[in-house]
Each structure stands twice: as C-alpha cells, then as structure tokens.
Amino acid sequence: MASLGFEGFEKRLELVFLLPTCGGERARHGLRLLPVAALREALEAVQCAVVSAAGNASFDAYVLSESSLFVYPSRVILKTCGTTRLLRAVPVLLRAAGELGLGLRSCRYSRGSYLFPEAQPFPHADFDDEVRYLDGAVPSGLHFRRSSVLQPSPQSTHKWHVYSASTSSDGATGHEHVDGATHFTVEVCMTELDRTLARQFYLTPADARSSHAIGDEMTALSGLGGVNPQSLVFGYAFAPCGYSMNALDGARYATVHVTPEDGHSYASYEYAGGGADALASIGRAVAVFRPSVVSASVCYATTAGSQAVDATSVWSAVANALEPLGLACRSQAAEGFPGAVTVTYQTFTA
C-alpha cells in the first residue's frame, strides 16, 4: 500500500527470447517450460504472487495479487502495480531462460506517471534509476538501447516512460504480426472513474462465494465481457474491493485491472493482438468506466504488415474510439525505438 492509497499505475516489462534452432521440446515450448519454482522466485523478488492461472495452445496467463503475467514460448510479459519491485524479476528470468538455452533478443519496459511516486521503492521512484538498473541487468549483447520520457506538452503532468534494448536496430522484436496483421500493444490508463460504475468492483459484505465466482459476475455486470467478445475471460475479485481479469483469444490477450476507491480510482486496459480491432477495443473498454482522464499508449512494429501504419493513423484511430465518449485529445507524441518499433502516447480529458 502506498502512503495515501493504492498505486494503480502499473509497471510493464516485456522480454523476448530467441528459441533454439535445433528443434525439439525447447524449440516448441520455450519459456512455457520454465519450472514453477523459477516463476515463483521471480514473483517473490517482485513481491507478488499468482492468484489465478489459465492457458491455451499459444500461451499461459496468470492473474497476480498485483496485475498479470503472460508467458509465451519466446516472450514473457510481467505487469505489476502497487509498490512492487518489478525490475527485480529481470535477473531471475534471464537466469531461468538461460538454463533452457534461450538467449535474450529484446527488452522493453514502460510505465506511466505514478499517483503516489514518493511511495515507490528503489529503483522505481526515479526513471533514471530504472534505466541504470536495466542497463546493468540485460546482457551486453543488446547494443541498441534507448530510453525516453514521452511528455506531449510541457504543461502536462502525464508522462509515458519507455526503455528499449535490442540485439538489432532495425529487426523485429518478436510477435509483430497476428494472422497477417500488424501487431499492436495497447496500454490505456484511466483515472477519476465514474463513481457509480466503480462501485461495481466492491465485494458485498458476507458474500461467501469464491473470488473467481464474484469476479465472473463483475465481468458480466460491468460489460467487460463484451470488450473482446471472442475471448475467454477469467475474472478475479479482491477484498474489500478491486478486480483483475485476463482474456485469452488464440495468441491475443487482454487484461484489465481496477482500483475503484474514491480519491484515487484507477483502471487499466491492455490489449495485445493484430488488426484494427486492437485500437477500436479501446473505446469499448473506456466506456465501462467513463473516466474523466485517460492516457493511451500504442506500441507497434513499423517494418512490415498487411498495410502501412504510422503515428498519425494510430493517433486518429485512438481519438475516433474515445471522442464519442465525450473525451477530447489534449496532447500526443510519438517516438521510435530500436527494433523498428514506434510508441505513441496521447492524453484525453472529459
């Protein structure tokens, strides 16, 4: 817990590995062969734990006590909120992957601006410290490194922090396409949620059902089940309030995390998948919460795909999804990172 309330804004880490070329089980399953003990050690270093797990033919998904973990054969995405020490997982994961014969291909770390920055532990209180920690943690073979703080306007208090390291300056960073379409990773942060809608994510006193059962009911009643209607959704309710869910659809995933308390209410939506629906789904997710303040970041590969994608078209698609909800774009920015990846960032207010 932070000093004034729970820190909803998440830190996000994505590590992409090279699978062995010799074939066999390690080449097919890669990181999904990580021992349970290795995952537990990584999460203990972060100071969180698994509360729910699911999987399909493409990946494994875990709801954590603070956000989510996704494990594919060649990449792992770890997203945590609160005062977790996310980057402490990096050396643990690199060592465990190395024991499977997997070498790191790229690393990307991102986060927004905290609600309670003074409560964050080292190295997370300061982005410069996070960058130094990552520079020392990732292998020296990742020559192409860049860190940047996207602040669309000098007046804006909203900033998007990004660190990227890659073995290549222009090659792909893994999982760039889904069904022939350009892959997008969408991260949406919402604050000042509609109070009535936020109350849906409180437990009813004396409700004896499981956290999974109550979470499934919250998914249905809130409308979150319709954000990505083709997905299999796993919801989880926290006591006395709060909600997390992971949604699985083939190789795609979506995840939502809600901290509904008055004064520091927060919800996040993340989607990783291909096609225009990745951007259109932003509007459906934000409509569930009706926030007064929204920031949206989109990460995508610029080197290939079924159609050309640029920052202007992404900005327009995000604005088209949010403006019908009474939200106006106040600022926008975009920057390129090693591995031919572009990150866009926009802020919206009611």
Side-chain angles (χ1 to χ4, degrees):
M1 292 293 290
S3 57
L4 299 176
F6 188 81
E7 179 60 67
F9 275 87
E10 296 100 344
K11 317 166 184 83
R12 183 185 187 276
L13 174 72
E14 181 169 356
L15 302 175
V16 180
F17 294 83
L18 288 168
L19 293 173
T21 58
C22 58
E25 189 176 31
R26 291 187 179 185
R28 291 194 306 273
H29 301 295
L31 295 167
R32 300 184 77 180
L33 297 176
L34 285 173
V36 171
L39 292 179
R40 184 182 298 116
E41 181 185 357
L43 295 178
E44 286 176 350
V46 174
Q47 296 188 336
C48 62
V50 173
V51 298
S52 180
N56 61 18
S58 297
F59 66 101
D60 300 313
Y62 303 88
V63 174
L64 306 178
S65 54
E66 281 84 9
S67 299
S68 291
L69 167 68
F70 302 96
V71 182
Y72 290 79
S74 63
R75 68 179 177 138
V76 57
I77 300 101
L78 178 56
K79 184 170 186 172
T80 63
C81 55
T83 55
T84 50
R85 295 165 166 81
L86 174 65
L87 296 184
R88 300 290 180 89
V90 174
V92 179
L93 292 171
L94 292 183
R95 184 182 71 247
E99 292 173 356
L100 292 175
L102 309 181
L104 188 64
R105 182 182 183 186
S106 69
C107 166
R108 187 165 66 249
Y109 172 73
S110 61
R111 68 168 174 85
S113 298
Y114 301 121
L115 294 169
F116 309 108
E118 71 282 358
Q120 290 298 314
F122 179 85
H124 294 293
D126 185 275
F127 185 55
D128 288 340
D129 287 337
E130 292 175 313
V131 170
R132 282 190 286 269
Y133 186 96
L134 282 164
D135 275 340
V138 300
S140 58
L142 274 65
H143 299 293
F144 301 95
R145 307 184 184 195
R146 187 180 180 202
S147 61
S148 181
V149 180
L150 281 70
Q151 185 175 7
S153 70
Q155 296 77 27
S156 175
T157 59
H158 297 276
K159 302 177 184 179
W160 195 247
H161 306 73
V162 182
Y163 172 92
S164 177
S166 175
T167 56
S168 172
S169 62
D170 56 4
T173 56
H175 205 75
E176 291 79 18
H177 301 94
V178 176
D179 298 334
T182 299
H183 178 86
F184 295 95
T185 298
V186 172
E187 296 179 71
V188 181
C189 303
M190 298 166 267
T191 56
E192 300 179 30
L193 311 182
D194 178 279
R195 288 191 174 188
T196 300
L197 297 179
R199 295 300 301 180
Q200 299 177 96
F201 299 99
Y202 278 78
L203 267 65
T204 301
D207 192 332
R209 291 177 298 163
S210 70
S211 294
H212 295 89
I214 301 172
D216 289 341
E217 181 179 76
M218 290 178 175
T219 301
L221 294 178
S222 66
L224 282 169
V227 174
N228 303 104
Q230 303 303 314
S231 298
L232 186 59
V233 178
F234 299 88
Y236 190 92
F238 293 90
C241 64
Y243 166 90
S244 289
M245 75 84 156
N246 291 332
L248 290 65
D249 178 15
R252 304 170 176 85
Y253 73 79
T255 185
V256 171
H257 304 283
V258 186
T259 302
E261 294 97 326
D262 289 347
H264 54 275
S265 61
Y266 172 84
S268 67
Y269 170 70
E270 179 176 328
Y271 179 91
D277 193 59
L279 302 179
S281 69
I282 294 174
R284 297 193 293 269
V286 172
V288 171
F289 302 100
R290 297 180 195 164
S292 293
V293 182
V294 177
S295 62
S297 175
V298 180
C299 179
Y300 59 95
T302 56
T303 54
S306 58
Q307 58 183 352
V309 179
D310 58 23
T312 301
S313 63
V314 173
W315 286 333
S316 178
V318 175
N320 289 341
L322 295 183
E323 287 175 351
L325 302 176
L327 293 161
C329 183
R330 302 304 182 187
S331 58
Q332 56 193 28
E335 290 197 24
F337 290 85
V341 165
T342 295
V343 176
T344 67
Y345 182 62
Q346 292 164 275
T347 63
F348 296 80
T349 58

Short mmCIF file of all heavy atoms in Angstrom, two decimals, residues 8 77 137 171 262 271 321 323 335 342:
data_model
loop_
_atom_site.label_atom_id
_atom_site.label_comp_id
_atom_site.label_asym_id
_atom_site.label_seq_id
_atom_site.Cartn_x
_atom_site.Cartn_y
_atom_site.Cartn_z
N GLY A 8 -2.35 2.44 -8.48
CA GLY A 8 -2.92 1.66 -9.56
C GLY A 8 -2.03 1.58 -10.79
O GLY A 8 -2.00 0.56 -11.49
N ILE A 77 5.65 -11.37 -20.48
CA ILE A 77 5.16 -10.03 -20.15
C ILE A 77 4.76 -10.04 -18.69
O ILE A 77 3.90 -10.83 -18.29
CB ILE A 77 3.97 -9.60 -21.02
CG1 ILE A 77 4.35 -9.61 -22.50
CG2 ILE A 77 3.45 -8.23 -20.61
CD1 ILE A 77 3.86 -10.83 -23.24
N ALA A 137 21.35 -4.90 -15.97
CA ALA A 137 20.74 -6.23 -15.84
C ALA A 137 20.69 -7.00 -17.15
O ALA A 137 20.79 -8.24 -17.15
CB ALA A 137 19.33 -6.10 -15.26
N GLY A 171 15.66 -4.74 -36.85
CA GLY A 171 14.95 -6.01 -36.96
C GLY A 171 13.74 -6.04 -36.06
O GLY A 171 13.55 -5.20 -35.19
N ASP A 262 -12.61 5.86 -4.08
CA ASP A 262 -12.78 7.29 -4.30
C ASP A 262 -11.49 8.03 -3.95
O ASP A 262 -10.80 7.70 -2.98
CB ASP A 262 -13.92 7.84 -3.42
CG ASP A 262 -15.29 7.37 -3.88
OD1 ASP A 262 -15.39 6.86 -5.00
OD2 ASP A 262 -16.26 7.51 -3.11
N TYR A 271 -4.28 -4.51 -24.36
CA TYR A 271 -4.63 -5.48 -25.41
C TYR A 271 -3.41 -5.70 -26.27
O TYR A 271 -2.73 -4.74 -26.68
CB TYR A 271 -5.79 -4.97 -26.26
CG TYR A 271 -6.20 -5.92 -27.37
CD1 TYR A 271 -7.17 -6.89 -27.16
CD2 TYR A 271 -5.61 -5.87 -28.63
CE1 TYR A 271 -7.55 -7.76 -28.17
CE2 TYR A 271 -5.97 -6.73 -29.64
CZ TYR A 271 -6.94 -7.68 -29.41
OH TYR A 271 -7.31 -8.56 -30.41
N ALA A 321 -11.95 6.38 -31.33
CA ALA A 321 -12.54 5.46 -30.37
C ALA A 321 -12.99 6.17 -29.10
O ALA A 321 -13.96 5.75 -28.47
CB ALA A 321 -11.51 4.37 -30.00
N GLU A 323 -13.37 9.90 -28.63
CA GLU A 323 -14.12 11.15 -28.73
C GLU A 323 -15.63 10.96 -28.63
O GLU A 323 -16.32 11.80 -28.02
CB GLU A 323 -13.73 11.89 -30.01
CG GLU A 323 -12.34 12.51 -29.91
CD GLU A 323 -11.89 13.15 -31.21
OE1 GLU A 323 -12.59 12.97 -32.25
OE2 GLU A 323 -10.84 13.82 -31.21
N GLU A 335 7.48 8.32 -30.70
CA GLU A 335 8.92 8.16 -30.83
C GLU A 335 9.23 6.76 -31.31
O GLU A 335 8.49 5.81 -31.04
CB GLU A 335 9.64 8.42 -29.49
CG GLU A 335 9.62 9.88 -29.06
CD GLU A 335 10.66 10.17 -28.00
OE1 GLU A 335 11.66 9.43 -27.92
OE2 GLU A 335 10.46 11.15 -27.26
N THR A 342 7.59 1.66 -32.94
CA THR A 342 7.14 3.01 -32.65
C THR A 342 6.19 2.97 -31.45
O THR A 342 5.36 2.07 -31.34
CB THR A 342 6.42 3.63 -33.85
OG1 THR A 342 7.35 3.78 -34.92
CG2 THR A 342 5.84 5.02 -33.51
#
